[in-house]
Amino acid sequence: MKKRPHVLIPIVCIACFVILPIGWEHATEKLFGINDVSIDWGAWWAFGSFTLAVAAAYIAWREYVELTRPRLTIYLVKTEQKQINTGDTETTYLAEWVGLKLENIGKTPATEITITFSPGIPWPLGSHPAGDPQQKLTERRVSHLATNKSVDLLFAGRAEFDQVAFEQCMCAQTIHLSYRGLSNRHFEEELTLDLRDIAFLSTTAQ
């Protein structure tokens, strides 16, 4: 059976709160020889009630922050697009594209977003940004991302993608996210992404 520390912690705290004054009374008698120590249980319970109220207020505030904060996620998408070749003979074929998206699934906008990839994804996977000196995608910045909105970090043909993910063995990526939410509160997260997961994704037609 799985342990549930979130249930045990309050029980242990309550037990310690009750035992502590009794233990102090006995320790005072044994160490200092004072036999007339009496516990003011009214004051002790008042202190406990105050401490409990402060803890409850802190927990409520933390839950509010978690419920109203931005929350970013990165995932792979695979789309199938109809292409028309207008050469000597007009032919129609399906082209498969792969994208890497950043989405805000939280309740508030995210700002000052920095996404760091390690060891990085080599170009030409996706369109190389003009003026970007990186030999591979190691960092991207997004100034603002609203709730339930997404941006493309990479967009490439399936052949390009497979070359990087399977042939160049650059499949495992550690992604570090740094961003800000309401009241300029700073958040950091780290996740892992395996580019080979594209083989298990269903295709979305466009």
Side-chain angles (χ1 to χ4, degrees):
M1 188 173 70
K2 292 184 179 180
K3 295 182 179 179
R4 298 185 178 181
H6 61 284
V7 176
L8 294 177
I9 289 175
I11 297 175
V12 172
C13 290
I14 293 172
C16 291
F17 182 78
V18 174
I19 294 172
L20 183 61
I22 299 174
W24 172 254
E25 183 180 22
H26 287 289
T28 304
E29 292 176 0
K30 287 184 178 287
L31 295 176
F32 305 106
I34 302 174
N35 298 319
D36 58 346
V37 176
S38 61
I39 302 170
D40 188 346
W41 286 103
W44 184 249
W45 290 121
F47 171 73
S49 299
F50 171 76
T51 304
L52 183 62
V54 172
Y58 175 76
I59 293 172
W61 175 76
R62 289 292 302 174
E63 290 182 351
Y64 171 78
V65 170
E66 288 299 313
L67 289 174
T68 59
R69 60 165 286 188
R71 192 175 295 277
L72 303 183
T73 184
I74 292 179
Y75 56 92
L76 292 165
V77 293
K78 184 167 58 175
T79 59
E80 202 172 59
Q81 201 171 40
K82 185 175 291 186
Q83 302 284 329
I84 300 178
N85 185 357
T86 56
D88 296 335
T89 57
E90 186 174 299
T91 56
T92 301
Y93 63 96
L94 294 177
E96 197 171 70
W97 299 87
V98 175
L100 184 62
K101 286 184 175 289
L102 171 71
E103 184 176 356
N104 182 3
I105 58 175
K107 301 297 183 181
T108 54
T111 60
E112 300 180 31
I113 305 166
T114 302
I115 310 106
T116 305
F117 297 84
S118 178
I121 305 175
W123 303 112
L125 181 55
S127 301
H128 194 295
D132 191 340
Q134 298 181 107
Q135 296 301 313
K136 57 185 177 181
L137 176 61
T138 56
E139 183 179 278
R140 275 288 177 90
R141 295 179 182 270
V142 179
S143 59
H144 183 274
L145 188 59
T147 303
N148 297 324
K149 297 296 182 181
S150 63
V151 294
D152 290 316
L153 301 176
L154 287 174
F155 190 72
R158 180 63 188 273
E160 289 181 294
F161 190 92
D162 285 353
Q163 183 181 16
V164 172
F166 296 96
E167 296 177 22
Q168 297 186 28
C169 299
M170 301 294 290
C171 50
Q173 297 288 326
T174 300
I175 304 173
H176 181 80
L177 298 170
S178 174
Y179 55 98
R180 295 189 180 276
L182 292 176
S183 302
N184 209 32
R185 185 175 177 83
H186 184 250
F187 299 95
E188 289 194 17
E189 296 175 34
E190 190 171 280
L191 53 92
T192 56
L193 179 70
D194 193 331
L195 301 182
R196 293 172 298 183
D197 288 345
I198 196 66
F200 305 102
L201 296 181
S202 58
T203 303
T204 303
Q206 286 191 342

